[in-house]
Amino acid sequence: MKTLDQINFKNKKALVRVDFNVPLNDKFEVTDNTRIVAAKPSIDKIVADGGIAILMSHLGRPKGKEAKFSLKHIVPEVEKVLGRKIKFASDSIGQDVEKAVEALKPGDILLLENLRFYPEEKKGDVDFAKSLAKLADYYVNDAFGTAHRAHASTAVIADFFDKEHKAFGKLLEKEVKSIQKALGEGNRPITAIIGGAKVSSKIGVIENLIDKVDNLIIVGGMAYTFLKALGNKIGDSIVEDDKIDLAKKILEKIRAKGVRLILPVDLVVADKFSNDANTKVVSIGQIPDHWQGLDIGPETIKMIDAVIQDSKTIIWNGPAGVFEFEKFAHGTESIGLSIGKASVKGAYSLVGGGDSVAAVKKLGLTDKISYISTGGGALLEMLEGKDLPGIKALM
Ligand code: AMP
């Protein structure tokens, strides 16, 4: 694994795959610059060496060259974050780009146009990757958010650079090391809290975690498939009936491995899926007909807190309830607070996934959590124990 610190970029050009897929408002202003801030250390290192950084990214899901998805909109925000002027190329490959690259001087930064203006990017087209590769001496991948994709700029391009000329960006390195730290060499007890809407989207994660953790906490919508598999009445709660048998098999594996499983023991139930629903707290098995569970209850929150406070390593992905409605956000926020408290006491905590990250940010816990992952799908695939194409290509 070659890292940026092992390379001196003086007078060299580095093509850096970043994840600048940031949200924009209707005035095309960046509304959350987290991903740009996350890429800054790698860019700073290349420039500080006296090298040239050529940045490439995708933005949104354009169908061809759609002006609203141009990366030119984000230039002012990138300049603000980096604290210096950058140049912009209105294409990502071709003669004009090559000419612009030739004119660059040590310390310059050039941002290429949205890679997904070419359908070849997502197809992993070899010629497109080659056209990008010839722009630079080194390839650096710092886009953890797309590391699970075998796209031209995230994986295929790496074949055009030998081992000495391709490297992990600082963000990618940090992401991989923090997941290794939590799962590979995590201090015990290790606790994973998995939430979210559906079991089907996290089966691989749960199965892999059974082999790694001491405590597995399952919350959110997916808990109801497990609760039903155990014979509980769940009313109108969200459930995947076609996954009941699978849930039974997973429960059996959890038992066989001696992992402690924590499922909700009480719930906040509602008479409709709405923030102005009537609600009450009931024990498992007591959900009235036509009511649905939309959050975990106070006993469950207490139980989860106790497990988290006893843990030395904590991994959290996915909300405990329909946190988008204030009435059902308490469970998710309580888990965030518990993890924050345990982290202050010395536990190593890794939080990832849009909803869980939003919760810790809202609670002002960002500084307390040991590592907040920038990846959604990529993090889930790492937790599944899969080899990510973007990472494999650098090895
Ligand atoms: P995911 O994308 O799989 O992590 O799922 C996130 C979504 O799960 C959020 O939009 C939550 O509103 C939803 N969710 C969590 N708990 C429940 C629940 N008890 N019933 C329905 N949806 C839920």
Side-chain angles (χ1 to χ4, degrees):
M1 167 169 171
K2 200 160 185 78
T3 60
L4 277 202
D5 290 330
Q6 296 164 344
I7 301 171
N8 183 345
F9 289 96
K10 193 170 168 51
N11 295 323
K12 299 287 183 197
K13 296 187 190 86
L15 191 53
V16 190
R17 178 53 159 104
V18 289
D19 181 3
F20 283 175
N21 183 29
V22 290
L24 303 176
N25 62 18
D26 51 10
K27 287 190 224 129
F28 297 109
E29 293 157 343
V30 176
T31 55
D32 180 352
N33 67 8
T34 308
R35 288 175 171 168
I36 302 173
V37 173
K40 181 173 159 48
S42 289
I43 302 166
D44 283 352
K45 148 75 181 160
I46 294 163
V47 168
D49 277 359
I52 293 167
I54 304 165
L55 312 179
M56 54 177 178
S57 177
H58 75 283
L59 176 66
R61 294 179 172 172
K63 292 182 183 68
K65 293 184 181 171
E66 279 186 89
K68 67 175 176 179
F69 291 111
S70 172
L71 278 169
K72 74 168 189 265
H73 302 307
I74 75 161
V75 168
E77 189 64 32
V78 176
E79 291 184 331
K80 200 172 98 192
V81 171
L82 297 180
R84 59 170 77 224
K85 286 276 167 205
I86 67 161
K87 295 176 165 49
F88 179 72
S90 53
D91 207 336
S92 49
I93 55 165
Q95 280 180 359
D96 288 352
V97 177
E98 285 161 27
K99 250 188 243 155
V101 167
E102 256 167 55
L104 296 172
K105 298 195 177 55
D108 279 350
I109 300 167
L110 174 72
L111 173 64
L112 304 181
E113 182 55 287
N114 192 344
L115 294 164
R116 289 199 189 161
F117 280 2
Y118 288 87
E120 288 88 342
E121 160 65 359
K122 280 179 85 168
K123 285 185 192 144
D125 183 84
V126 175
D127 292 332
F128 180 66
K130 192 173 178 185
S131 305
L132 289 168
K134 71 180 189 196
L135 298 176
D137 308 297
Y138 287 90
Y139 168 65
V140 175
N141 190 353
D142 212 19
F144 180 64
T146 49
H148 58 316
R149 306 281 183 218
H151 294 169
S153 70
T154 60
V156 181
I157 189 172
D159 288 344
F160 295 97
F161 297 85
D162 64 32
K163 276 197 165 58
E164 294 308 308
H165 291 84
K166 56 187 169 189
F168 280 69
K170 286 179 179 280
L171 172 68
L172 190 66
E173 182 189 349
K174 235 177 9 181
E175 293 275 0
V176 172
K177 285 192 172 156
S178 32
I179 295 163
Q180 270 167 3
K181 184 160 179 188
L183 284 183
E185 60 217 45
N187 289 328
R188 292 185 176 271
I190 305 175
T191 297
I193 306 125
I194 304 295
K198 294 180 170 174
V199 192
S200 49
S201 62
K202 290 177 192 170
I203 292 167
V205 175
I206 293 175
E207 289 194 317
N208 188 44
L209 288 177
I210 296 172
D211 292 328
K212 307 253 187 314
V213 305
D214 303 291
N215 306 303
L216 180 61
I217 301 177
I218 298 181
V219 287
M222 68 170 68
Y224 297 92
T225 301
F226 288 97
L227 290 169
K228 189 168 177 183
L230 288 167
N232 294 291
K233 217 172 77 166
I234 58 161
D236 283 353
S237 306
I238 186 171
V239 68
E240 287 171 279
D241 280 317
D242 61 335
K243 295 288 176 297
I244 297 276
D245 283 342
L246 179 71
K248 284 183 182 162
K249 277 191 199 125
I250 293 176
L251 289 167
E252 187 41 50
K253 191 170 167 198
I254 291 172
R255 248 192 310 264
K257 284 270 171 187
V259 171
R260 181 173 171 208
L261 171 70
I262 294 101
L263 281 166
V265 292
D266 62 346
L267 303 158
V268 180
V269 294
D271 60 355
K272 57 180 173 182
F273 189 84
S274 161
N275 202 32
D276 56 21
N278 293 306
T279 65
K280 51 186 172 186
V281 173
V282 299
S283 300
I284 283 308
Q286 304 297 316
I287 305 179
D289 290 343
H290 310 302
W291 287 58
Q292 51 190 306
L294 295 185
D295 199 7
I296 50 174
E299 285 307 315
T300 307
I301 290 174
K302 245 192 264 168
M303 203 168 79
I304 291 176
D305 182 55
V307 174
I308 290 176
Q309 299 319 316
D310 276 345
S311 303
K312 294 275 188 300
T313 303
I314 305 149
I315 301 155
W316 179 30
N317 176 279
V322 183
F323 75 103
E324 294 92 336
F325 298 144
E326 198 52 46
K327 253 188 185 168
F328 309 107
H330 186 58
T332 301
E333 293 182 2
S334 302
I335 290 176
L337 289 169
S338 293
I339 298 175
K341 199 163 80 179
S343 309
V344 172
K345 289 190 302 187
Y348 182 79
S349 54
L350 168 64
V351 176
D355 302 332
S356 318
V357 172
V360 296
K361 278 189 182 164
K362 186 178 163 201
L363 296 163
L365 296 170
T366 327
D367 296 341
K368 299 202 168 74
I369 306 299
S370 315
Y371 191 70
I372 297 184
S373 175
T374 60
L379 173 70
L380 288 179
E381 292 201 14
M382 290 283 288
L383 294 179
E384 281 181 47
K386 282 190 184 161
D387 274 339
L388 273 51
I391 292 173
K392 218 167 117 187
L394 294 173
M395 299 296 196

